[in-house]
Amino acid sequence: MNKLAHVRDGVAALLASALAAGPVWAVDIAGPVVPVSAQVEANLAFSVTITELIPAAGGGTTIGPVVTSMEFGILASNGTFDPDGPGPIGPQPRALNSTKAYQVFFGLNAQGRPFTIKQTATPLRAGGSTIPNGAFIVTPLTGVGGDPSKPLPPGTSVGSRGSAVATNKVLFSSSGGQSNTMAATYGITDDPALGATEAIPLDQPAGNYSTTITFTATVL
């Protein structure tokens, strides 16, 4: 073999060795583009359920039947109070009040958006007479369904106890996120411990007093 042939065979051998040891280059082959979709309907929903509170043996109340109106019945001086404790003045009749109370449950699907739940009510009126506003009390409750042992979701704020006679009184609000069942109680009372700031006098004019409450949920 001549020298040129020997060099040519050596180069061929080197090339073959290099090709055998080199990387295998990947090749992408385009396939179909597949559309994928899903849909969540705009299903904002607000529910209000009214229940009567039933006095429980040993104190407190239990949730009673579902009702469609709050009928507090005949107001009366239920019991007495002693204005000076052990002093010389004896027990006195309490102001007019009702032994009935109601608990309202609010369910709201706000789809994670901020919201407020409000109520509007005018005074309880019969002809030209009205029940003192400070005796008709709403109390927004802490906890899921009013149970303080079950905290409402983070971001939920509970409104303050006060007269139900108000325009757009905020009962609950949320900065957004998860929501759960909220609750508030309504009563006609003379007890400051239950929020009363006014009393219904014993000589309140007779009549059938009535009003309406409008509940509104605003989703932002």
Side-chain angles (χ1 to χ4, degrees), residues 72-164:
F72 287 97
I74 298 174
L75 304 184
S77 175
N78 294 291
T80 61
F81 75 101
D82 194 336
D84 63 350
I89 301 176
Q92 303 295 307
R94 286 179 56 178
L96 299 182
N97 60 88
S98 176
T99 57
K100 287 190 173 184
Y102 294 88
Q103 185 159 322
V104 182
F105 295 91
F106 304 99
L108 177 62
N109 175 11
Q111 295 191 322
R113 293 156 60 181
F115 66 82
T116 58
I117 295 176
K118 300 168 286 187
Q119 65 108 87
T120 294
T122 55
L124 283 153
R125 188 180 302 277
S129 301
T130 60
I131 295 291
N133 294 346
F136 181 27
I137 303 301
V138 57
T139 304
L141 302 175
T142 60
V144 175
D147 183 348
S149 69
K150 301 175 181 178
L152 288 165
T156 305
S157 297
V158 180
S160 60
R161 167 189 278 169
S163 174

